[in-house]
Amino acid sequence: MKNKKVLVVGSGGRCHAIVDALARSEQVEKIYCAPGNAGIAAQAECVKIGVEDVETLVEFARRNAIDLTVVGPEAALAVGIVDSFTEEGLRIFGPTKAAAQIESSKEFAKRLMAKYDIPTAGYEAFEEYEAAWEYVKNRPLPAVIKYDGLAAGKGVVVAESYEEADEALKDMLLDASFGKGRVVVEDFLAGPEFSFMCVVSGEKVYPLAMAQDHKRAYDGDKGANTGGMGAYSPVPCVTEEVRAYALEKIMIPTAKAMVAEGVPFVGVLYGGLILTDEGAKVIEFNARFGDPETEVVLPRLKSDIYDLFDAAIDGRDCATEWSDEALLGVVLASKGYPGSYAKGVVIEGLEKVESAVYHMGTAEKEGKVVTAGGRVLMVVGRGATLGDAREMALRDIAQIECDGLFHRSDIGHKVLN
Ligand code: AMP
Ligand code: GLY
């Protein structure tokens, strides 16, 4: 019966894709999104409540008899939105604050993996600059240096030289702009990366389709690390064998480990994995849907996403069905991103686009769509092959007129060229 009311918390492309998937559900009658954005507004009623304003969100959910709340961003998880909703008897899909530590604390994740033999890069954690530098300068390059705390995917430096490594350590441990923190120095893992997102409910794991993200800002994987400049699904290098290994040696043992540690995980467990010569290994876990991966994964889900969220909250079994279609999405980002950039630049031509367009950071101003964030739009093409999907996305991007945007034209290059 189409009678469920859902609240999606968040405003980016990932939330747009979640809203889009919920809009296809046979059960969902009404979708609210807090705060949403100009694109999401076409499919959901956007309400002006910030993602960390938990008290107001709880009150909204109660007043509007929301059947299910779905959380997009880590910021909301980190302030304990799931704990608060659950205490109030409201149904919410996402991990508790304690379980979300698998993302918010690199050290928590690393300790868990070491204790339960989950394959990952070796590491050392440091709080003092001198000790960290002493360690790094005596090790081979590249040096992988991670700030321990939420840094929206930007607190990672893969340094090719000792100068670069030293600068990163100084930034993270001596510069107040990062806050008082710690760093984790990791072994460098070589191989293709892929994102394996699974809906998890305690020990139960419901795998989603594979995706690959492109983290660097510019073509040829040059430039700074970003939140992600494009993605595609499926991922050819992830064979059935690789997937089975990642599921059985990484995702299921991690779900079980969280239960054993007394912090059962309910929500999306995102495994950021590298396929090394010794098999898949974890580079990071996230406690939420990936962005931009979600925009190429959820459109391939043929079964009802409401069922999946609902089943996960109750720990019920739930089968998923996926389309064979290939999806490839390209992010249009504000010039200057991931550094500083202008906002409020008018975007035109969106009506000419045949690809799916997910709004990542847009707003409406005087009836026009304008840029309102670092990553602005994700244009997702589809087709029988990834090549077809990329052609469609790039063709459609050429229709979009906006002075303030740039994009990568080589998304999928590792499998297409
Ligand atoms: P993260 O935020 O931990 O996903 O790291 C951002 C990016 O840095 C990853 O997508 C990888 O490309 C790279 N990276 C992180 N850790 C490692 C590692 N141990 N070995 C090689 N590359 C890494
Ligand atoms: N695309 C990487 C992330 O969501 O963290």
Side-chain angles (χ1 to χ4, degrees), residues 106 121 144 146 153-158 186-190 193 215-216 225 270 272 274 282-284:
K106 300 255 185 221
V144 180
K146 302 187 174 186
K154 285 167 235 160
V156 177
V157 173
V158 180
E186 268 185 24
D187 296 341
F188 177 78
L189 300 179
E193 282 182 67
K215 290 240 165 81
R216 300 296 191 111
N225 259 316
Y270 166 124
I274 288 194
V282 177
I283 35 173
E284 65 162 349

Side-chain angles (χ1 to χ4, degrees), residues 89-146:
L90 295 163
R91 284 172 78 75
I92 184 161
F93 176 75
T96 59
K97 184 175 175 177
Q101 275 185 93
I102 197 160
E103 168 168 6
S104 60
S105 166
K106 300 255 185 221
E107 240 208 312
F108 173 91
K110 281 297 196 183
R111 281 217 192 105
L112 188 86
M113 287 187 271
K115 181 164 170 191
Y116 293 89
D117 272 332
I118 294 157
T120 186
Y123 80 106
E124 290 283 337
F126 298 93
E127 277 179 29
E128 302 303 332
Y129 162 77
E130 284 75 19
W133 173 234
E134 192 58 34
Y135 178 75
V136 167
K137 76 178 186 202
N138 291 309
R139 282 168 41 94
L141 293 169
V144 180
I145 299 169
K146 302 187 174 186

